[in-house]
Amino acid sequence: ETGVTQSPTHLIKTRGQQVTLRCSSQSGHNTVSWYQQALGQGPQFIFQYYREEENGRGNFPPRFSGLQFPNYSSELNVNALELDDSALYLCASSLAGDGYTFGSGTRLTVV
Amino acid sequence: DQQVKQNSPSLSVQEGRISILNCDYTNSMFDYFLWYKKYPAEGPTFLISISSIKDKNEDGRFTVFLNKSAKHLSLHIVPSQPGDSAVYFCAASARFQGTSYDKVIFGPGTSLSVIP
């Protein structure tokens, strides 16, 4: 049984650019949630995907968008990057929202 | 508006003693509470949880207590070990009927240091 894998592990982007982060769910999981963890804070809920549809969203602007694929892997896309987007982005997969397994995260730095 | 609060950013405890990590929440809709542990360069890992219908749940050295009237929960680690040194996140969840959506809200975390 594989866990949740995220890629890349680290990324540096320039303000105004766009970024795509990827997440492979744990085998058998059909739900993916994305979180943003800024330095010194707890993870903040961005959105959740269930069976390829957005199933809930936190207080993040529309330039944060996502996709879930038929194999339940997922992408997080952020457009028009801002300096404050610098954070650790965590993906968590679950089976219908029960029992989250987190990946190790992608550390995004916007300069 | 922070719905899950952990008012102690850090805690130091001697090895072998009890560690008590506290958490408060504001939303009475939360019905499931979780504790996660996070080491540097790793994602959070699930530690222990408690449903709102219970007031205590034990798993080995870890016990979570829930006081619904006070909207307060605590994690007790006895005895504390150096390997317990990590950031501990309290999280609360509301499961909505008929959906798989259970937005999990995290607190800001408490960094625990267990001193040998």
Side-chain angles (χ1 to χ4, degrees), chain A residues 73-87:
Chain A
S73 66
S74 176
E75 285 182 356
L76 164 65
N77 299 292
V78 187
N79 293 322
L81 283 166
E82 301 176 1
L83 296 179
D84 284 350
D85 295 333
S86 296

Side-chain angles (χ1 to χ4, degrees), chain B residues 11-66:
Chain B
L11 177 67
S12 286
V13 172
Q14 207 71 34
E15 181 179 3
R17 298 286 186 101
I18 183 171
S19 295
I20 301 176
L21 294 94
N22 292 304
C23 176
D24 297 287
Y25 62 95
T26 57
N27 192 335
S28 57
M29 289 290 291
F30 289 134
D31 58 6
Y32 196 68
F33 304 89
L34 312 96
W35 286 92
Y36 284 83
K37 177 176 169 180
K38 186 178 184 302
Y39 293 116
E42 294 183 14
T45 55
F46 171 75
L47 193 58
I48 192 170
S49 63
I50 188 167
S51 164
S52 60
I53 62 173
K54 294 188 172 183
D55 55 17
K56 179 182 173 181
N57 187 27
E58 260 183 283
D59 184 3
R61 296 185 298 114
F62 303 91
T63 304
V64 57
F65 295 92
L66 175 63

Side-chain angles (χ1 to χ4, degrees), chain A residues 6 37 43 88 90-92 100-105, chain B residues 35-39 42-47 87 89 106:
Chain A
Q6 292 186 244
Q37 187 182 4
L88 178 69
L90 293 162
C91 165
Y100 282 24
T101 300
F102 279 88
S104 298
Chain B
W35 286 92
Y36 284 83
K37 177 176 169 180
K38 186 178 184 302
Y39 293 116
E42 294 183 14
T45 55
F46 171 75
L47 193 58
V87 177
F89 292 104
F106 285 81

Side-chain angles (χ1 to χ4, degrees), chain A:
Chain A
E1 179 182 278
T2 59
V4 176
T5 56
Q6 292 186 244
S7 61
T9 54
H10 294 83
L11 197 56
I12 299 175
K13 287 287 192 178
T14 304
R15 190 170 48 182
Q17 284 188 313
Q18 178 267 342
V19 69
T20 297
L21 310 181
R22 293 180 174 85
C23 172
S24 294
S25 303
Q26 179 166 311
S27 176
H29 284 184
N30 58 10
T31 303
V32 173
S33 303
W34 285 91
Y35 286 81
Q36 180 197 65
Q37 187 182 4
L39 200 61
Q41 296 183 22
Q44 301 292 312
F45 177 73
I46 303 176
F47 43 55
Q48 182 181 88
Y49 277 81
Y50 173 63
R51 293 185 175 176
E52 302 177 58
E53 300 219 351
E54 188 178 291
N55 194 34
R57 190 178 182 93
N59 295 326
F60 281 81
R63 58 190 186 84
F64 285 77
S65 63
L67 281 175
Q68 187 181 30
F69 300 99
N71 66 354
Y72 302 128
S73 66
S74 176
E75 285 182 356
L76 164 65
N77 299 292
V78 187
N79 293 322
L81 283 166
E82 301 176 1
L83 296 179
D84 284 350
D85 295 333
S86 296
L88 178 69
Y89 287 85
L90 293 162
C91 165
S93 74
S94 61
L95 180 60
D98 189 27
Y100 282 24
T101 300
F102 279 88
S104 298
T106 294
R107 172 74 61 188
L108 172 65
T109 303
V110 182
V111 298

Side-chain angles (χ1 to χ4, degrees), chain B residues 104-116:
Chain B
V104 178
I105 307 294
F106 285 81
T110 296
S111 179
L112 173 65
S113 296
V114 180
I115 304 160

